Amino acid sequence: MASSGAFSSFRLPPLPTIREIIKLFRLQAAKQLSQNFLLDLRLTDKIVRKAGKLTDAYVYEVGPGPGGITRSILNAGVAELLVVEKDSRFIPGLQMLSDAAPGKLRIVHGDVLTFKIEKAFPESLKRRWEDDPPNVHIIGNLPFNVSTPLIIKWLENVSQRDGPFAYGRTQMTLTFQKEVAELFLSRWCPDRVSYLPHFLVVPLQRLTASTGSRQRSRLSVMAQYLCHVQHVFTVPGRALVPQPEVDVGVVHFTPLTQPRIEQPFKLVEKVVQNVFQFRRKYCHRGLGMLFPEAQRLDSTGRLLQLADVDPTLRPRQLSISHFRSLCDVYRKMCDEDPHLFAYNFREELKRSKCRNQEEEVARDSHRL
């Protein structure tokens, strides 16, 4: 049956429940895609309410799956709902919803990581960046395997005011699940967390973590320098099928009219990423990796001195103001040395390793 919340005069006609849809089309959550279905329509209604007033809004839903949140969005009286779903198994069930809401639901069988949203909605919806957010919303229950790369992609879109943010300061309401591997490693092997593959690290607490928090991370800084980020409520893991070992958080993002760090996204990302690659070390350890080995000590000292940052602070103790100063000074240093920004310490390590191997082979040959 339809969603329980009374959102507007539009109501979906009686339909099979989400459980019945799953059974009808023989759907199973794909473990390799980290899929979990949210079946409680009271909870999907609540997620949609947290997105704000959706009457006559244009909504972009990512990863609709069997259509639980989709139903709640349609019942909110939206002008149009665009869903992008990669898994073809879910298309027939979504088509059933489209037939029940003529002209309301548009289905795209595609990958959210590559889908171009810029021209999907009417031009008339566009607002100036300084104005209130447009009547465009992004809502989604994100699977493990796309959450981090997708958020980083959208944050870069925010900084460039393109993609979904070509319409203005488009708001996002998204769910994130904490990965068991992250919880284990953050407790027992904190220095190893930053080396986890992107598809394993799902950043609920890391998105909203404040300065000094154990969960403070690259994603905390990248999200919070561009957006107001709010963890609005938690969905218990038992409400999802299959049940994950951790709960799910609903996070609301509103892009800021003015970013807290006014430097190019890639530059900010490079500074922040280098700082957090050594989570338990003093911040000067990661910042040193911004510079070639020959000049590392002097350049790191100059960066910290000009930015007025204590080199013995841990990465999680650095505030957005600290990062703003570091990025501003690093930008000036890159302007002075045009080759500096392209420097990658891993490439230098790789070349050094190759040289050492070649020298070792030459020594062995000489001994023979």
Side-chain angles (χ1 to χ4, degrees), residues 7 46-55 76 137 139 171 173 252:
F7 288 105
K46 186 175 181 180
I47 290 171
V48 171
R49 284 196 297 271
K50 293 298 183 181
K53 184 180 179 182
L54 296 186
T55 305
H137 295 259
I139 300 176
Q171 298 177 82
T173 307
H252 187 76

Side-chain angles (χ1 to χ4, degrees), residues 133-145:
N135 205 14
V136 177
H137 295 259
I138 300 174
I139 300 176
N141 177 25
L142 301 184
F144 289 158
N145 68 326

Side-chain angles (χ1 to χ4, degrees), residues 128-134 165 167-171 254-257:
R128 294 185 310 165
W129 197 259
E130 299 75 20
D131 293 343
D132 290 337
F165 309 96
Y167 301 96
R169 294 187 297 118
T170 300
Q171 298 177 82
T254 305
L256 300 169
T257 54

Side-chain angles (χ1 to χ4, degrees), residues 74-142:
L74 290 171
N75 277 326
V78 298
E80 182 180 64
L81 170 58
L82 169 64
V83 299
V84 176
E85 178 55 66
K86 185 177 182 179
D87 193 332
S88 59
R89 298 175 304 151
F90 297 122
I91 301 300
L94 293 171
Q95 188 59 53
M96 182 183 293
L97 286 177
S98 180
D99 294 341
K104 292 278 187 180
L105 177 59
R106 184 155 46 113
I107 303 166
V108 173
H109 181 204
D111 189 340
V112 68
L113 287 170
T114 57
F115 180 72
K116 304 294 184 184
I117 187 68
E118 291 89 334
K119 298 181 180 179
F121 296 135
E123 288 280 320
S124 60
L125 293 169
K126 291 187 175 181
R127 298 289 180 268
R128 294 185 310 165
W129 197 259
E130 299 75 20
D131 293 343
D132 290 337
N135 205 14
V136 177
H137 295 259
I138 300 174
I139 300 176
N141 177 25
L142 301 184

